[in-house]
Amino acid sequence: MGEFDLIARYFTRPARRVALGVGDDCALLAPAPGMQLAVSSDMLIEGRHFFADVDPEALGHKALAVNLSDLAACGARPLAFTLALALPAADERWLQGFAGGLLALADAHQCELIGGDTTAGPLTICITIFGEVPAGDTLRRSGAQPGDDLWVSGAPGQARLALGALRGEWQLPAGVLAQLRPRLERPTPRVALGLQLRGLASSALDVSDGLLGDLGHILRASGVGACVDVDAASAPLRVSTAPWSTQMSALTQDDWLHCALAGGDDYELLFTAPPARRAQVQAAAQRSATAVTRIGAITAERGLRLVDGQGAPVAGRFASFDHFAPAR
Amino acid sequence: MGEFDLIARYFTRPARRVALGVGDDCALLAPAPGMQLAVSSDMLIEGRHFFADVDPEALGHKALAVNLSDLAACGARPLAFTLALALPAADERWLQGFAGGLLALADAHQCELIGGDTTAGPLTICITIFGEVPAGDTLRRSGAQPGDDLWVSGAPGQARLALGALRGEWQLPAGVLAQLRPRLERPTPRVALGLQLRGLASSALDVSDGLLGDLGHILRASGVGACVDVDAASAPLRVSTAPWSTQMSALTQDDWLHCALAGGDDYELLFTAPPARRAQVQAAAQRSATAVTRIGAITAERGLRLVDGQGAPVAGRFASFDHFAPAR
């Protein structure tokens, strides 16, 4: 099957929001008046971002999900995306699965595939996504203020906990793995929450490289520090696996904290907001049907302090979390 | 060197036309009022689109040039681009050269790098480019009308002629190779011509896979046929190498026609316009300092006819050009 057949067969859909669809040299996009276009690109490579034997349908989902998550982090509403795809061979079953997972998530967010490129090569997926956001209303990394609460969505660490079981780092009860594996393989981009946080959060990003590492980006961009309650940050993960807790006693406190604080791939939103807006943040979470947890506060003093639920400093064995080094 | 250092060191520049630059989860773009955003993505892979030993500066140039060429084909003015880059290793000398070639061409077109992604992996370059074009004024593939002239810019086949010499298919005088190799390695996107053709050309695209193969896209999209004068189409190539003609007698007529009609990688514009607009097309070419040549006409009868300079049908040995098969 040639390149043009491939495009036609699996990726051509009627144009909706755009003036030109797949087929011309360019696609055309027009954001609504008063709106800016938010743009993000991600590249996923076999062996680095996913395993060769990954379910193609899950891969299609995840490839778009990580890009939708970037829009969520900016408070942008998804509009459209381009897909550049390098494939070792035109495997129809693979393509059908991949396109199915990709386009199902795209449809769920009314996000239109408007163009791209296919070529032979090592399996590589590059998506550039477009969203719109009212001019001046974008969530950024640079707005955190001393005294702001630090919040995170969902249960950070779920993807890492599942990954550790798949890698053989630890064992998980089948029920836990069945629940958490989708968090790793089919993450839910927090688009609805991002939209609700417009004008409410003082800063935001999505956690792809680990909570503390990505928090470092906010702290540097905002010129502030933070104090993180590691018990609060790991509580959602513990709660989500509580029914199986007696079967998970082999997991150490370090394991739990490592998953929650340094595990990537959850694509949760990490954001800050003034304490006076706690009720509004909770209301925004409810409207977007996304749990949020307050896990610390922004400080004027630079650097990152880790404390436990009683406010006591967490011992030096977690110093490695303090480097702000990306996990990959 | 980590991912973030790489981005900071070679690709971070002050934001100009955009509201946010490299560093946040998304970049922001706002086309001017009345303008649509033209979007195109291309992926270049080592071993397929370029050789491993290519000069990184030339590669940086070409990676952006092929994307600028897509904007040119739509008559769009370049605005900005994102870069997703997979690298086997962070080789500083390579990165310096690549970024230098890329950003020099970007500056020449006032096209701003606004975001992207870097990762480890087989050398892969994915650029998504943005331009703006007045709503309704975009050059498309679908507007060719029976009776329209068929035009091409530059001297199609130059890149293929150089490639053949590098591959050992034929020998070229040193002077010819010195002149043509830059056409292969550092193609000139015809952005200026594309802007001049707005509202003038009835259809257009850029030739990346060979003149006749790409012409097929216009014919299919427009529901028409064409008659191509192969002597006219290959004349610019012959003229551009005329001073060395006595040293190139080993090249057969087939070689010349193959280069001009089926050679890709020139990134010339192929376009149609009514005969009544010949003087305007020539004036547009002059204003953009880009030579154009009339090489045939659009016909109501579907299919592609090839004729020589006297209008005589070209014999069947060129039938292979008639398949509209992409050269790659």
Side-chain angles (χ1 to χ4, degrees):
Chain A
M1 198 180 337
E3 173 179 351
F4 301 101
D5 294 329
L6 273 185
I7 295 172
R9 186 143 178 184
Y10 293 106
F11 298 110
T12 304
R13 323 186 92 194
R16 293 192 304 258
R17 198 181 283 116
V18 292
L20 284 175
V22 177
D24 265 277
D25 287 292
C26 294
L28 295 179
L29 262 184
M35 291 291 195
Q36 288 181 315
L37 211 63
V39 179
S40 183
S41 283
D42 271 295
M43 186 182 268
L44 301 182
I45 295 178
E46 181 183 296
R48 178 139 190 108
H49 300 103
F50 56 89
F51 300 119
D53 62 351
V54 67
D55 172 18
E57 194 272 347
L59 181 61
H61 174 100
K62 184 162 182 175
L64 188 62
V66 301
N67 281 280
L68 286 165
S69 181
D70 284 324
L71 292 184
C74 289
R77 182 182 303 280
L79 277 182
F81 67 107
T82 62
L83 167 69
L85 188 62
L87 290 170
D91 174 338
E92 291 203 43
R93 210 166 66 180
W94 189 93
L95 272 166
Q96 195 166 15
F98 178 81
L102 182 85
L103 296 176
L105 185 63
D107 286 347
H109 290 274
Q110 297 186 276
C111 188
E112 195 169 346
L113 176 60
I114 57 167
D117 193 16
T118 58
T119 185
L123 185 50
T124 306
I125 303 156
C126 183
I127 287 179
T128 302
I129 198 163
F130 311 99
E132 60 180 15
V133 62
D137 230 6
T138 313
L139 302 177
R140 303 187 177 199
R141 298 177 174 184
S142 55
Q145 299 289 330
D148 279 357
D149 292 330
L150 180 66
W151 298 84
V152 71
S153 66
Q158 288 185 321
R160 182 66 184 86
L161 194 59
L163 182 66
L166 296 176
R167 280 184 182 165
E169 295 174 63
W170 46 68
Q171 291 200 311
L172 291 180
V176 172
L177 190 57
Q179 181 196 329
L180 298 194
R181 192 167 174 165
R183 297 293 308 143
L184 176 68
E185 296 178 346
R186 302 172 55 89
T188 304
R190 302 302 190 185
V191 172
L193 178 62
L195 291 173
Q196 293 292 336
L197 291 177
R198 281 181 189 169
L200 184 58
S202 53
S203 71
L205 53 61
D206 65 322
V207 177
S208 57
D209 290 329
L211 196 156
L212 294 188
D214 284 329
L215 173 58
H217 297 309
I218 287 183
L219 301 188
R220 270 191 301 271
S222 301
V224 296
C227 178
V228 172
D229 174 346
V230 300
D231 289 338
S234 58
L237 178 62
R238 289 185 182 266
V239 168
S240 73
T241 57
W244 296 272
S245 61
T246 56
Q247 302 167 56
M248 298 172 73
S249 51
L251 283 167
T252 66
Q253 168 76 348
D254 272 22
D255 293 334
W256 287 103
L257 290 186
H258 179 77
C259 287
L261 301 177
D265 279 332
D266 284 302
Y267 298 95
E268 297 296 350
L269 293 190
L270 181 68
F271 60 98
T272 59
R277 294 183 165 179
R278 276 179 201 168
Q280 287 173 271
V281 169
Q282 290 289 3
Q286 281 209 326
R287 279 194 301 271
S288 57
T290 309
V292 298
T293 305
R294 191 155 50 85
I295 63 168
I298 297 299
T299 60
E301 190 191 353
R302 303 289 183 100
L304 178 61
R305 277 193 311 132
L306 302 182
V307 298
D308 66 18
Q310 277 68 51
V314 172
R317 69 181 186 279
F318 299 114
S320 66
F321 297 143
D322 206 345
H323 287 166
F324 299 164
R328 57 179 176 188
Chain B
M1 203 183 333
E3 173 179 353
F4 300 100
D5 293 329
L6 272 185
I7 295 172
R9 185 138 177 191
Y10 292 108
F11 297 110
T12 305
R13 319 184 95 196
R16 293 192 304 258
R17 197 182 283 113
V18 293
L20 285 175
V22 177
D24 265 278
D25 286 294
C26 294
L28 295 179
L29 260 184
M35 291 289 194
Q36 288 181 315
L37 210 62
V39 180
S40 183
S41 282
D42 272 294
M43 185 181 270
L44 300 182
I45 296 178
E46 181 181 294
R48 180 143 189 103
H49 300 102
F50 55 88
F51 300 116
D53 62 351
V54 67
D55 171 18
E57 193 273 345
L59 182 61
H61 174 101
K62 185 163 181 175
L64 187 62
V66 302
N67 281 279
L68 286 166
S69 181
D70 284 325
L71 292 185
C74 289
R77 183 183 300 282
L79 278 180
F81 68 105
T82 61
L83 167 70
L85 188 61
L87 290 171
D91 174 337
E92 290 204 43
R93 211 167 64 178
W94 189 94
L95 272 165
Q96 194 167 15
F98 178 80
L102 182 86
L103 296 176
L105 186 65
D107 286 346
H109 289 275
Q110 298 184 274
C111 189
E112 196 169 347
L113 176 60
I114 57 168
D117 193 17
T118 56
T119 184
L123 184 52
T124 306
I125 303 156
C126 184
I127 287 179
T128 301
I129 198 162
F130 311 100
E132 62 180 13
V133 62
D137 229 5
T138 314
L139 302 178
R140 304 188 177 200
R141 298 178 173 185
S142 55
Q145 298 291 327
D148 278 356
D149 293 329
L150 180 65
W151 299 84
V152 71
S153 65
Q158 289 184 320
R160 183 66 184 83
L161 194 58
L163 182 65
L166 296 175
R167 281 183 181 166
E169 295 175 64
W170 45 68
Q171 291 199 311
L172 291 180
V176 173
L177 190 58
Q179 182 195 328
L180 299 194
R181 192 167 174 165
R183 297 293 306 144
L184 176 68
E185 296 178 346
R186 304 172 54 90
T188 305
R190 302 303 189 185
V191 172
L193 178 62
L195 291 173
Q196 292 293 335
L197 292 176
R198 280 182 189 169
L200 184 58
S202 53
S203 71
L205 54 60
D206 65 322
V207 177
S208 56
D209 290 331
L211 195 155
L212 295 187
D214 284 329
L215 173 58
H217 298 309
I218 287 182
L219 302 187
R220 272 191 301 271
S222 301
V224 294
C227 177
V228 172
D229 175 344
V230 300
D231 289 336
S234 57
L237 179 62
R238 287 185 183 267
V239 168
S240 74
T241 58
W244 296 271
S245 62
T246 57
Q247 302 166 56
M248 299 172 74
S249 52
L251 283 167
T252 65
Q253 168 75 351
D254 272 26
D255 291 335
W256 287 102
L257 291 186
H258 178 76
C259 288
L261 301 177
D265 278 333
D266 284 302
Y267 298 95
E268 296 297 349
L269 293 190
L270 181 67
F271 60 98
T272 60
R277 292 183 166 179
R278 277 181 201 167
Q280 285 172 272
V281 169
Q282 290 291 1
Q286 281 209 325
R287 279 195 300 271
S288 57
T290 309
V292 297
T293 304
R294 189 155 52 84
I295 64 167
I298 297 299
T299 61
E301 190 191 354
R302 302 287 184 102
L304 177 62
R305 277 194 311 132
L306 301 182
V307 298
D308 66 17
Q310 277 68 50
V314 172
R317 68 181 186 278
F318 300 113
S320 65
F321 297 143
D322 206 345
H323 287 165
F324 299 166
R328 56 181 178 190

